[in-house]
Amino acid sequence: MSDEEREEKELDLSSAEVVTKYKTAAEIVNKALRLVISECKPKTKIVDICEKGDSYIREQTGNVYKNVKRKIERGVAFPTCLSVNNVVCHFSPLASDEAVLEEGDILKIDMACHIDGFIAAVAHTHVLQDGPVTGRAADVIAAANTAAEVALRLVRPGKKNKDVTEAIQKVAAAYDCKIVEGVLSHQMKQFVIDGNKVVLSLSNPETRVDEAEFEENEVYAIDIVTSTGDGKPKLLDEKQTTIYKRAVDKSYHLKMKASRFIFSEISQKFPIMPFSARALEEKRARLGLVECVNHELLQPYPVLHEKPGDYVAHIKFTVLLMPNGSDRVTSHPLQELQPTKTIDDPDIKAWLALGTKTKKKGGGKKKKGKKGDKVDESAEAEPMDSTNGATSQD
């Protein structure tokens, strides 16, 4: 087999080595999420918590695949974000930001890790309080979680992306919540966090995507954001944007010296994955990033807001479409929820009753890659009981 053929083969889950890299990244990001949640206390600075999440991922990924012949890229695949209350996503402030957490805040934590470009992404919603979460806050989290559980059962070979879109909208409506528009679930490939196959969270005339069918050996980051508001978030302040990704297909000769310096630094340190402007020298970055964004050399990840008083929840998980079924490798147990709504819809109940594994003839013998299996059990088994949307509302 030529090197080219070998590279091509290694890109998907038919390679045990690739599966192990995904599961190793997943194990690290699940632990990083646990660490971040443990650091979330009233009066703690948000930037300090985000930094701890990123540092943990850098440190842990640095400890794996050290003694290999080929140098393996590894580290943060999406900077730790901590979006509070009606802030929907991508809040990962600069070092100078003084924002702190308060008792009762609803926190959306979003992060991703990669090993050799194989990415494990996760997002979780946590309320900064003791005791069960009640009322509309419980509804919005249960809506996101139940939608995630339904999506897990429908993202499988042979199903289409539109099947998932329709189902998660139905789940949100059952909790009298809205799916936030503009959120896409992407197929992921090596070094590609936003592949071309996508699942829309919300279908409307303005947003159209190509119909696609899920296939065996694909990987997806399923991304669901729910709101008690109208689900149409707004960009309030461009200065809050701190996360960017280099647009590798664009080129432009930058005029400003500061822009050229910053873009050179970005190209060296973050050639492919999204990064936080925290990693750049702050004053110079502020100047240089604007020109880079204006000429589309960088893709910004804006901080979006629902209206004050709206509750927003975010659940994201990475799923491997293995030959023996869907394998959710990233998650975290939810707090106890006491939603005001119950699920009575027969369609939703039927979706939740579906299994995530498929039985294949002779499939029982296929038990290779024990190291990967071990990671899988810790990543999947622990949360499934407490996060299954079906249990929250019975």
Side-chain angles (χ1 to χ4, degrees):
M1 191 187 288
S2 73
D3 282 354
E4 242 172 65
E5 285 171 329
R6 192 167 162 276
E7 279 297 308
E8 192 58 39
K9 189 165 173 54
E10 280 184 356
L11 287 179
D12 77 20
L13 301 174
S14 58
S15 157
E17 192 186 338
V18 167
V19 174
T20 300
K21 285 172 180 173
Y22 272 116
K23 290 185 174 182
T24 305
E27 186 174 33
I28 291 169
V29 86
N30 285 334
K31 286 178 178 171
L33 174 58
R34 209 175 305 157
L35 170 75
V36 165
I37 292 169
S38 73
E39 294 289 336
C40 290
K41 299 181 178 76
K43 304 301 177 195
T44 309
K45 278 170 71 171
I46 293 174
V47 65
D48 293 346
I49 300 170
C50 292
E51 268 301 317
K52 281 185 178 161
D54 291 350
S55 297
Y56 181 85
I57 288 174
R58 283 193 295 267
E59 177 191 307
Q60 295 298 311
T61 53
N63 290 335
V64 294
Y65 291 95
K66 285 194 291 196
N67 304 317
V68 287
K69 287 177 192 170
R70 176 173 68 89
K71 182 177 179 272
I72 283 184
E73 297 285 331
R74 53 206 193 273
V76 174
F78 199 87
T80 305
C81 300
L82 188 48
S83 306
V84 178
N85 297 331
N86 63 311
V87 180
V88 175
C89 55
H90 303 150
F91 191 75
S92 189
L94 298 174
S96 56
D97 192 279
E98 296 295 327
V100 297
L101 300 180
E102 300 292 352
E103 183 75 30
D105 280 348
I106 298 183
L107 317 175
K108 278 82 63 190
I109 301 154
D110 186 6
M111 59 205 314
C113 162
H114 80 96
I115 305 281
D116 197 20
F118 298 105
I119 301 160
V122 69
H124 180 76
T125 302
H126 178 78
V127 183
L128 205 52
Q129 66 173 57
D130 294 324
V133 179
T134 59
R136 293 297 280 151
D139 287 346
V140 79
I141 298 170
N145 184 63
T146 308
E149 291 291 342
V150 166
L152 173 64
R153 287 153 176 78
L154 296 181
V155 177
R156 52 172 56 191
K159 288 280 188 191
K160 292 192 165 58
N161 52 357
K162 67 178 173 56
D163 301 334
V164 181
T165 305
E166 287 162 10
I168 61 181
Q169 284 178 245
K170 195 166 194 176
V171 171
Y175 286 98
D176 195 19
C177 292
K178 292 273 199 309
I179 292 286
V180 171
E181 57 180 50
V183 179
L184 298 174
S185 296
H186 287 272
Q187 183 188 4
M188 297 193 292
K189 296 182 177 182
Q190 188 178 26
F191 291 109
V192 180
I193 200 166
D194 48 4
N196 292 333
K197 271 195 185 180
V198 298
V199 180
L200 271 178
S201 294
L202 186 70
S203 52
N204 59 33
E206 296 93 69
T207 326
R208 287 242 162 83
V209 297
D210 293 338
E211 187 173 296
E213 191 174 294
F214 304 113
E215 295 174 53
E216 197 173 283
N217 292 326
E218 291 180 337
V219 179
Y220 287 86
I222 301 301
D223 202 354
I224 292 167
V225 185
T226 49
S227 173
T228 57
D230 62 9
K232 297 178 179 179
K234 307 248 178 325
L235 171 64
L236 299 185
D237 182 2
E238 281 186 7
K239 287 198 186 83
Q240 283 190 321
T241 303
T242 60
I243 296 176
Y244 302 88
K245 181 165 79 77
R246 210 182 131 212
V248 287
D249 56 337
K250 296 279 193 294
S251 61
Y252 174 78
H253 184 67
L254 293 159
K255 305 288 186 282
M256 286 167 57
K257 191 177 176 184
S259 307
R260 291 197 298 273
F261 179 87
I262 284 296
F263 191 65
S264 166
E265 190 181 352
I266 291 164
S267 301
Q268 283 173 337
K269 286 187 182 172
F270 313 105
I272 298 169
M273 297 293 183
F275 64 92
S276 162
R278 268 199 313 279
L280 310 169
E281 199 271 310
E282 195 167 321
K283 275 188 181 170
R284 197 176 253 171
R286 277 196 189 283
L287 278 171
L289 288 169
V290 175
E291 192 185 3
C292 294
V293 171
N294 286 347
H295 294 284
E296 298 181 343
L297 294 177
L298 296 176
Q299 173 195 328
Y301 288 82
V303 177
L304 300 175
H305 298 251
E306 281 279 68
K307 293 185 180 74
D310 290 344
Y311 295 125
V312 180
H314 187 187
I315 301 278
K316 184 196 294 181
F317 63 89
T318 301
V319 60
L320 315 182
L321 302 191
M322 302 293 288
N324 65 341
S326 301
D327 198 348
R328 175 180 179 166
V329 292
T330 61
S331 57
H332 188 278
L334 287 174
Q335 293 157 288
E336 186 190 338
L337 301 178
Q338 294 177 357
T340 68
K341 314 285 177 194
T342 55
I343 290 287
D344 300 314
D345 186 291
D347 286 344
I348 298 174
K349 285 184 166 179
W351 290 325
L352 289 168
L354 293 170
T356 59
K357 300 293 179 194
T358 53
K359 285 179 183 168
K360 287 199 166 186
K361 283 183 184 173
K365 293 176 188 171
K366 231 177 176 185
K367 261 283 185 184
K368 282 185 182 173
K370 284 199 172 171
K371 192 176 169 193
D373 291 343
K374 198 170 154 195
V375 174
D376 169 40
E377 282 165 19
S378 66
E380 188 193 22
E382 178 194 342
M384 290 315 282
D385 292 340
S386 51
T387 58
N388 191 324
T391 59
S392 303
Q393 63 272 352
D394 284 344

